[in-house]
Amino acid sequence: KRTYVNKKSEGKLRFYLIMVVAVLHIAIDTIFIYPIIFIVSFNKKWKQYISELVGKSWGRWFIRATGCKLEIIYENPEMINELKNEAVVVYSNHQNNLDIGLLLGYFFKRVGFLAKQEMEHWHFFNLWMRLNGCVFLNRENPREGIKGIQKTIENLKNGKSMVIFPEGTRQSGIFPFKKGSFKVVKKAKVKLVPVTIVGTDKVLEKTKKKRKL
């Protein structure tokens, strides 16, 4: 007897499974980890260490839940040690929400994100984002948008590395960058680390083999 599964149905099922795993992880962190962060909040070093640990754990668990095989290629691996102790701007293409988990779990530095304002209302996840120095950008109000850019620059000057998706939205392939994204690097006077993510836009498609990122 053969059973045929609709491609869209399987993709949706996998998507919902991944979301359930992510929400469970965030809920567990909220119940058990964040109280610890609150207790040690007077100690900046411990607060940063625990929030980084939570971010990496969440990101790696999220990616493993997809069943994908991950490959990381560094063009200049010798630069990793040189950049570990200074803030950088990470420019990355953005294909899927999995990109966030990927960068959190496997980028060699602790990073915050310049994120769309809507994410400020994502329950559980928004708490971690605030603790980790993420900035929520209002794209509808130019004045508020400028405040978000200024906050990002301030984070960088204070030693906090930030991820920017310069294309401004999720899409397959590589598209022109928004002009405003370059102002952050110029005004903060930090180094730029370009990242190219390949394959996350295909993760939810039906396949007999593991996807490779």
Side-chain angles (χ1 to χ4, degrees):
K1 181 180 179 179
R2 296 182 179 180
T3 303
Y4 296 91
V5 180
N6 180 274
K7 181 177 180 179
K8 290 184 178 180
S9 297
E10 183 174 315
K12 286 182 179 179
L13 181 62
R14 182 178 297 179
F15 172 80
Y16 290 134
L17 177 61
I18 293 170
M19 289 300 104
V20 168
V21 169
V23 170
L24 282 174
H25 195 297
I26 294 170
I28 291 170
D29 290 340
T30 303
I31 295 170
F32 297 104
I33 304 299
Y34 291 142
I36 297 175
I37 294 177
F38 178 76
I39 292 171
V40 301
S41 59
F42 60 89
N43 188 310
K44 186 177 179 181
K45 183 177 180 181
W46 273 102
K47 182 179 177 180
Q48 289 181 346
Y49 173 76
I50 295 175
S51 61
E52 179 181 8
L53 188 65
V54 169
K56 282 196 173 294
S57 173
W58 177 83
R60 294 189 179 196
W61 194 8
F62 199 28
I63 296 302
R64 286 167 185 164
T66 68
C68 294
K69 180 182 178 182
L70 179 65
E71 181 179 10
I72 302 174
I73 301 174
Y74 293 104
E75 290 292 334
N76 298 297
E78 66 279 359
M79 292 293 293
I80 293 176
N81 287 330
E82 295 181 23
L83 297 175
K84 276 188 175 180
N85 296 319
E86 61 180 281
V88 299
V89 171
V90 180
Y91 268 19
S92 173
N93 61 314
H94 193 17
Q95 301 179 329
N96 190 295
N97 282 332
L98 291 173
D99 300 336
I100 298 172
L102 193 63
L103 289 166
L104 278 176
Y106 296 95
F107 192 68
F108 65 90
K109 291 179 67 68
R110 176 176 175 262
V111 293
F113 291 80
L114 178 59
K116 59 184 180 180
Q117 190 181 36
E118 292 84 348
M119 294 182 74
E120 191 173 11
H121 306 292
W122 290 13
H123 297 300
F124 299 117
F125 190 60
N126 57 3
L127 176 59
W128 173 85
M129 293 184 75
R130 291 191 189 98
L131 287 171
N132 212 48
C134 295
V135 176
F136 301 101
L137 182 66
N138 188 331
R139 296 180 291 186
E140 303 298 326
N141 186 320
R143 287 187 178 181
E144 292 300 316
I146 290 174
K147 289 181 182 179
I149 295 297
Q150 290 174 338
K151 178 60 179 175
T152 302
I153 294 170
E154 182 183 333
N155 282 358
L156 287 162
K157 288 183 176 180
N158 290 331
K160 173 68 179 180
S161 296
M162 299 292 293
V163 173
I164 296 177
F165 298 117
E167 296 164 303
T169 187
R170 296 191 306 271
Q171 50 194 343
S172 297
I174 304 294
F175 289 81
F177 293 174
K178 301 292 184 182
K179 293 181 180 179
S181 62
F182 292 101
K183 294 180 181 179
V184 174
V185 179
K186 185 177 180 180
K187 291 186 177 182
K189 298 180 180 179
V190 295
K191 293 177 181 177
L192 173 64
V193 178
V195 172
T196 302
I197 297 175
V198 180
T200 52
D201 58 329
K202 306 294 184 183
V203 168
L204 301 181
E205 291 185 2
K206 181 181 177 183
T207 177
K208 293 181 179 179
K209 296 181 179 181
K210 287 187 177 181
R211 285 289 177 185
K212 184 177 181 180
L213 302 180

